Amino acid sequence: MPKIYPADLVVDQRETQIDVSRDQSRWISDQSRPHFITGTAVDVELPFTGNKLGFDIQPTTSNFNNPRAHVGDGIISFSITGTDLTPDRVKQEIDRAVNSINEHLGWLANDAKSYNASLESLAMQAIERRKEKLLKDKSLVAGLGFKMKERPGASPTFAAPSVRRNIRPTTAKPLASREPYKPEPILAGEDYEHILSVMENMVGVMEQSPGAFREIDEESLRTHFLVQLNGHFAGNATGETFNYEGKSDILIKVDGKNIFIGECKFWTGEKGYLETLDQVLSYLSWRDTKAAVLVFNRNKDFSGVLAKIDEASRSHPNFKKLVRKRSESSWTYLFGHKDDANREITITVQGYNVPERIKPRV
């Protein structure tokens, strides 16, 4: 930001020719052309520091008295001319010009302060846009997708097909880092959506046959989903794409690491739901892992549970953004790894109402 030094300005005097054709106090026979007489010019040089480009910027606040001068290297030059100059008049003109320059510099300083305050946000937006583009480009070139071939004429029902999809993991480049480059597999978006649809259809079967699932627990739920998912997809060697570890996990593994994670949980409250998110995030292995969390509700206030699911998801410390609200009871979120910003996990949360257990008679 330029800064002027009025106390150090210097002046010089010289004769100059002044056009008085527009001077109403003089009688000029032909005012259509200039009429010059000899007058006096006082040349002023006002020193300044800072980048002179600042004088080329028009502040958002201005008036009709913009200062006019020549800006050189460290010097602002302007002249005061007249045919009857006096010391008082020259001093007034100099003071007026200096005050006008200072006023405009003050407005410019206010604009710069506001702009600088917004730079961090603007920079972060630009970085995020650049990051998204780079990730998209890398996926386009290097990530052909974790493609799983659907059997011809696959039906939306849950009968185990005789010919199942084949999975062919491919790789995507990670973000730049100091570590040696190692390709990592990704799960294609269309296959992720198909997995979600299989799980949604399975819930539809539960809703159509409530009696058969009234007494079901989380472990049994996992088994039902594993059967249906493996009926649609086939592994490269073992024939089993989906497997489990622990009590209720549904997993796809590549090179011993998870590329898809599924969780079936009954709603026990916000604390239990956040613990489920922590559990899913603890399985994050690749830089592009996808997951599904199916929340089953046996309470009566299903609308209240849905509101708490969305609110709790956004409150999680690793929450990044809502990618998409799929329906009134389903959301796709993006979460990050607490120790590595390059590692992200897409989690689709689906809420479902299921029949309440029948209480045994005493």
Side-chain angles (χ1 to χ4, degrees), residues 275-291:
E275 289 174 352
T276 299
L277 292 182
D278 289 336
Q279 180 181 349
V280 171
L281 290 171
S282 71
Y283 287 134
L284 177 56
S285 302
W286 301 117
R287 284 182 170 82
D288 180 28
T289 304
K290 295 180 175 65

Side-chain angles (χ1 to χ4, degrees), residues 27 61 76 81 118-119 121 125 133 147 154 166 175 233 332 340:
W27 183 85
T61 303
I76 301 173
T81 61
S118 67
L119 276 180
S121 175
Q125 292 175 16
K133 182 182 185 302
K147 185 61 180 173
N166 292 321
L175 293 176
F233 300 92
T332 297
D340 186 351

